[in-house]
Each structure stands twice: as structure tokens, then as C-alpha cells.
Amino acid sequence: LTEVTSPTLSHPFILPAMASSPSSPYLELEYWQKLWSSQPEEVTRGIKISAGVAVGAAAAYFSFQLLKKALGKEVWEKVGVVSSLHIYPIKSCKGISVEQIQLDKYGAVNDRRFMLQCQESKRFVTQRQEPAMCKIKAILLKGGSIQLSAPGMDDYVVKPRFTPAPDTDLVGVCVWDDYVEGVDQGAGVAAWLSMFLGKDVKLLGMGPDFDRPTSKKYTPKQSPAQAAYSDGFPLLLISNASLADLNGKLSTATPPSSPLPMDRFRPNIVVDDVTCPFAEDTWTRIRIGDQEMAVAKPCSRCKVPTTDQETGERSAENEPTKTLSTYRSKAHVKAPCGDKVDVFFGQNVCHFSPGGVVKVKDEVWAMRIRYPWSA
């Protein structure tokens, strides 16, 4: 027998000697019986009490969870109203404010259905690399054409191609970790965009069989689970109260910063009349009009919010990222995603079914679980 001294017991814990057999003695019932019978009464009594406490605590926890599930009642509570809606026909180019959005399986119709591809790297191009993209305006014309305009350039009208031309193949492109295909929109618009940006790029559009699943980890089963050329999810939601809170902190920053407009964060759905800043952090399921949606995860922010969406200039003070890092980091918001240096503002949202419409002034409702003992 071998004695193992414990600082918490007056008697040593006695460990029987290991047998010199090729198989581990810890796998033999006889070993454990011998171990138990060799212990002083104080040790066995302490082990029994500890085990009983652990079992009792576990039973109480799971009983409480079952009770909550049995007694909890799902209720819808009004949490705000839609104040504005936005689409971005070309990823990272200027957005368009609209009175309503039609939803298909990818999100808002006409939202991020086109994007730029760098011909050198074969990767997608955004304001992260080319901040001047914010000055490219895409206007949707009747008949489906798109009119492009930018400072110092003549307007250019492109008629979208949704299937490859006879002499053109689908173009493969990487969007973050996703490899997807796009339809080349032609040499003319490529030359126009390349001239403005000073970089060799193509304009790609989604084809009829475009497939880009959203993350299974965060996407509810009820969702179509598809994204267009957005960063990863169909829709982005932010409340005006959250922006007002950020602007309040920016006004007292060192040096102080002017209030930022909502376009810095490029949301699809902006909500007003919420009870407090970042109330959207607490929403898990919402309903807007006749559309039910899941709030999937907080949105980590890159350098785009530091870019003035009118001039393309970056903030010399790295705002609002610098201020957001003081209270909206991964640790602050307990985000289930991102790195510890990331900041979060807004919520990624997945709608449950295509075909619906969301309108400005629609009420926003959040699902709550109400218990008999709650107020």
C-alpha cells in the first residue's frame, strides 16, 4: 500500500500498489474494491458526502431546467419599429435607401447580388482594400439595368447577365473562406470600374444556381441558410439607440469625434424606439411584419466603419473602432465568434422563409419566455 497525503484530510489517502501486469489495474473491479476497503472511515465518509452533494446539485439544476421548460410561455413583445431599410446592389459600393424590401432565400432582393473581383488575386474586392468603392453609386433602372456613376466618370449602364454568355464561363471567386461562382458582366463595365479604381477588376453577378450556405453553427434550421455576396449572413440589423450611444462616447473621446451616420455600418434594417442601446443583443427571435427571423450572432466589424462613405477617407484616429474596443469587444459582449481583438456592432439576422416583405414603419417584435414568477 502507498500513502498519498492530502492537505485537506487528517488521514492519508491510501493507494494500493500497482500490479505488474500488462493490463492497467485501473480497469479491474477488484482494484477499486481493494482501494475503497483500504481507506480510513473519515476518507470514505467524506467521499460519500461529496458525491451526494454533487448528485443533489446536478439533480436540482436539471429539475429547475425542466420546470422552466414546462412553465415557461413564449410571448411576443413589441421592441421597436423599422425606421429605415437599405440595400447595396454591388457589394461595398454605395447603398440605396428603400421603403420596403422583398425577401428571397438569399435575403433582401437586389442586395449584394454583384461584387468586384481582383484579377490579380482572384479574390473579392471591398472597401477594406479600395475605400473609393463607397463613391460608386449603382441605380436600379426599370427593365433591370443598372446605372453606375462615380466622381469624374461618365455614367455607365450595364444590363445584368444572370447566365454566362456563349463565349464566357462562370468565374470562380473566393469570398472569405467560401469558393463561389459568378457570371462575368462583361469587358465594358470591367474597364469602367478598373479605370475609376486604378485596379484591374471584373464585375461578377450571381448565377441562377448560386449556392452559398451560411454557417451551420449559427443558422437556425428554419432558415433557407443561404447568403448572397454579403460577408456571411442574409441581413444586418442595428438600432438607432445603439448608434446614439456610440456617438455619445465618441463626443467625449480623446480627441473628440463628430457623430457618425448609420451608413458607416451598412445595415439592411434599422430599428427605432427600442428600450435601450444594444437591446438587439438580447433578441434571439424577432418578427417584422409577417416575417419571422432569428438573430444569429453579433457582427464583428472591420475597417469599413472607419471610412467616410461620402469621401472614402479613413479616420486618422481609427474611429469608431478605437472607441468600440473599450466596450464592444468579444469579451465585453460575450460574442460566440471572432477574435479577442474584434469589435462588434449590429446583429446578423436569418429570415425563416422567402417571399415576404419588410416595410419602413413595420413593428418589430421579439420572442420572450415568460415565467409565472417573472414580472
Side-chain angles (χ1 to χ4, degrees), residues 76-93:
W76 289 101
E77 294 181 359
K78 184 181 175 183
V79 292
V81 63
V82 175
S83 63
S84 62
L85 296 165
H86 311 269
I87 57 172
Y88 309 84
I90 302 177
K91 182 178 178 67
S92 236
C93 293

Side-chain angles (χ1 to χ4, degrees), residues 127-160:
Q127 290 183 39
R128 298 170 181 87
Q129 303 85 28
E130 300 294 334
M133 288 180 67
C134 70
K135 295 188 280 187
I136 300 174
K137 188 174 183 179
I139 300 175
L140 304 175
L141 303 178
K142 290 182 178 180
S145 294
I146 300 174
Q147 178 178 297
L148 301 181
S149 60
M153 301 287 290
D154 292 333
D155 291 354
Y156 186 91
V157 176
V158 56
K159 187 170 183 178

Side-chain angles (χ1 to χ4, degrees), residues 37-85:
S37 62
S38 63
Q39 305 308 313
E41 184 180 351
E42 178 187 328
V43 173
T44 57
R45 187 190 313 109
I47 293 174
K48 290 177 181 178
I49 293 173
S50 299
V53 170
V55 171
Y61 172 79
F62 287 110
S63 296
F64 181 66
Q65 296 304 316
L66 290 172
L67 182 64
K68 285 178 64 178
K69 187 174 182 180
L71 298 180
K73 181 181 179 181
E74 291 185 339
V75 295
W76 289 101
E77 294 181 359
K78 184 181 175 183
V79 292
V81 63
V82 175
S83 63
S84 62
L85 296 165

Side-chain angles (χ1 to χ4, degrees), residues 171-219:
V171 178
V173 60
C174 287
V175 182
W176 297 115
D177 295 329
D178 299 330
Y179 180 84
V180 295
E181 292 182 327
V183 179
D184 188 348
Q185 299 301 302
V189 68
W192 189 93
L193 291 165
S194 298
M195 180 179 293
F196 177 69
L197 295 175
K199 183 174 189 173
D200 190 10
V201 297
K202 282 185 178 181
L203 180 65
L204 303 183
M206 292 168 52
D209 300 318
F210 186 86
D211 180 55
R212 187 177 172 225
T214 54
S215 169
K216 292 182 179 180
K217 182 176 181 180
Y218 305 109
T219 304

Side-chain angles (χ1 to χ4, degrees), residues 26 71 78 101 269 339 354:
Y26 293 106
L71 298 180
K78 184 181 175 183
I101 54 175
I269 303 171
D339 300 320

